[in-house]
Amino acid sequence: ACDEIIAGKLHDQFLCDPIQGGAGTTANMTANEVIANRAIEILGGTKGDYSIVHPNDHVNRAQSTNDVFPSAAKLTAAKLLKKAIAQVERLEAALAEKEKEFHDIIKMGRTQMQDAVPIRLGSEFGAYRKAIQRDLVRLNRALEGMYAVNMGGTAVGTGLNTPKGFDVAVAKAVSEITGKEFRTAENKFHALTSKDELVFAHGALKALAADMMKIANDVRWLASGPRDGLGEIFIPENEPGSSIMPGKVNPTQCEAVTMVAVQVMGNDVAVGMAASQGNFELNVFMPVCMYNFLQSARLLAEAIVSFNDHCACGIRANKEKMHHNLHNSLMLVTALNPYIGYENAAKTAKKAYKENISLKEACVSLGFLTAERFDEVFHPEQMV
């Protein structure tokens, strides 16, 4: 009967809402009743004849919703975190490739949405790669917390109605089935009422969401245009972008990632609030906690797959536009600070901007450097 459920054959029999009162009893007893009744059918009996297989006495034997539901949730969370980690690793690899590919391309850096000083395009993508690499460290650390299950604690953590060694035996069996090192929770009283490991793990998901928001926003800014924006990179053109403007192409992959990030950040509030609502020996907010956690893990993994395959891997550099922007920037004047001082460099930049002339013309006309000396010390490509 359980194998059939795992194969998806009886999913239409699970009719309860994911957000429910009772700390998950509705979901747990639905499973128990579906398993029992299908087992009865397999044994040749009539559904509802619990003298053959009973949902409480047999299927739920030595168990309680209070230890089954959180344990099942952790198994699921671990599975989805592993899937998310695999996709984040793919994205890190793609960004590492772009970091190498763009290493020799010099462009303008920007701080506070204003021109700053030069940077390598490869360094920009290297920062994205490092952020994702750090997210992987956090996700893997969070994954460890999912491997401690509290099966065997039953209702309040005492293990009432379980045979001796049941908790260890269950953890061992789950490990054999999944191929992962699940273990029995060290303190089942804590495991029943505290959801701190889920808050920690979702915090890792939120950190990933925040990094993805930053990366996706940078990419769509850098690709803005094609003529009246920054236009320093090209992103894949996946579909027509407007119902009225012919030829318009939008950064839809970036938009999808940022919307997912917003949802995950909202979910983090729900997970944290739910985890804070444990009263005495139980936290009844487990269903809403897991509903949001699992949604975040799924959404992020799927959004990253799409962003990686349909955007990140296909990013190309617009070298001409970056060269133009680099040599048109007034902030290159920063290179003159050691030679003419901050105040004179500021005067040079302001004069060049006001009169729409080059930094060289402004600096020479103000008498701060000769044309020859300016050429000796002013090398934008060496500022990185």
Side-chain angles (χ1 to χ4, degrees):
C2 289
D3 287 341
E4 288 184 8
I5 292 171
I6 291 169
K9 293 181 180 179
L10 300 172
H11 285 184
D12 63 335
Q13 300 300 305
F14 289 77
L15 304 178
C16 55
D17 291 322
I19 299 177
Q20 54 192 258
T25 301
T26 307
N28 182 41
M29 281 311 302
T30 295
N32 291 337
E33 288 156 7
V34 172
I35 293 165
N37 280 286
R38 181 60 188 133
I40 291 166
E41 285 185 327
I42 293 169
L43 291 171
T46 303
K47 280 192 297 184
D49 184 357
Y50 291 156
S51 66
I52 303 174
V53 179
H54 197 284
N56 296 84
D57 295 339
H58 299 135
V59 185
N60 197 61
R61 187 177 181 85
Q63 298 176 176
S64 163
T65 294
N66 298 354
D67 60 354
V68 171
F69 192 89
S71 295
K74 277 192 168 183
L75 264 67
T76 310
K79 185 176 181 180
L80 290 182
L81 280 174
K82 287 288 288 183
K83 286 184 176 179
I85 287 169
Q87 299 311 323
V88 176
E89 287 173 342
R90 289 182 64 235
L91 178 59
E92 184 198 11
L95 292 172
E97 283 297 312
K98 294 300 173 184
E99 181 182 8
K100 293 176 186 175
E101 180 185 340
F102 298 151
H103 176 75
D104 294 329
I105 301 173
I106 311 300
K107 53 158 288 182
M108 279 309 300
R110 295 180 179 88
T111 57
Q112 294 155 288
M113 304 299 281
Q114 302 292 311
D115 299 347
V117 293
I119 187 175
R120 295 182 188 275
L121 182 60
S123 297
E124 228 168 24
F125 276 78
Y128 304 152
R129 176 197 56 76
K130 186 63 177 178
I132 295 302
Q133 183 187 73
R134 294 293 302 153
D135 288 321
L136 282 169
V137 171
R138 284 183 281 265
L139 287 169
N140 278 295
R141 191 176 299 163
L143 182 61
E144 288 303 308
M146 299 300 107
Y147 291 139
V149 295
N150 57 312
M151 285 292 293
T154 62
V156 295
T158 60
L160 180 67
N161 292 347
T162 62
K164 186 176 177 61
F166 178 77
D167 54 350
V168 175
V170 169
K172 182 181 179 183
V174 170
S175 296
E176 290 171 355
I177 293 166
T178 61
K180 306 299 178 185
E181 290 297 321
F182 284 93
R183 61 191 182 277
T184 187
E186 193 175 307
N187 185 317
K188 293 181 183 60
F189 303 101
H190 166 265
L192 279 170
T193 191
S194 175
K195 305 305 161 198
D196 50 8
E197 71 285 341
L198 290 170
V199 176
F200 181 81
H202 199 278
L205 291 173
K206 183 175 73 168
L208 173 60
D211 283 331
M212 290 303 301
M213 173 79 85
K214 183 264 191 296
I215 293 168
N217 274 334
D218 277 10
V219 167
R220 62 176 170 173
W221 270 109
L222 290 171
S224 61
R227 290 187 174 177
D228 296 329
L230 295 179
E232 293 186 343
I233 62 172
F234 301 108
I235 57 176
E237 299 181 355
N238 295 305
E239 70 281 306
S242 174
S243 60
I244 188 173
M245 293 175 280
K248 191 173 189 291
V249 178
N250 295 326
T252 51
Q253 292 298 319
C254 298
E255 292 165 354
V257 165
T258 53
M259 281 188 270
V260 165
V262 167
Q263 183 65 59
V264 172
M265 291 173 188
N267 288 353
D268 191 69
V269 176
V271 170
M273 286 295 294
S276 74
Q277 298 304 303
N279 300 124
F280 304 113
E281 280 66 61
L282 183 65
N283 186 318
V284 301
F285 280 65
M286 207 43 214
V288 72
C289 185
M290 288 312 302
Y291 176 76
N292 284 276
F293 185 97
L294 300 180
Q295 184 190 56
S296 292
R298 287 194 186 101
L299 279 176
L300 269 175
E302 292 169 9
I304 288 171
V305 169
S306 190
F307 179 77
N308 183 68
D309 295 349
H310 302 298
C311 184
C313 289
I315 291 174
R316 295 178 293 114
N318 186 343
K319 296 179 183 179
E320 293 76 15
K321 186 64 179 287
M322 279 185 276
H323 184 271
H324 168 77
N325 289 345
L326 175 67
H327 289 274
N328 195 46
S329 173
L330 297 174
M331 287 305 99
L332 296 180
V333 76
T334 306
L336 301 179
N337 284 1
Y339 307 100
I340 64 175
Y342 182 96
E343 298 295 342
N344 287 339
K347 291 176 184 177
T348 299
K350 289 176 181 178
K351 181 177 178 66
Y353 178 67
K354 185 177 180 180
E355 299 180 14
N356 196 27
I357 58 177
S358 69
L359 288 172
K360 180 178 180 179
E361 291 172 312
C363 187
V364 172
S365 68
L366 288 169
F368 297 142
L369 291 174
T370 64
E372 293 75 21
R373 181 59 175 158
F374 185 94
D375 290 339
E376 288 177 12
V377 302
F378 190 76
H379 299 289
E381 289 77 9
Q382 295 177 9
M383 295 173 68
V384 297

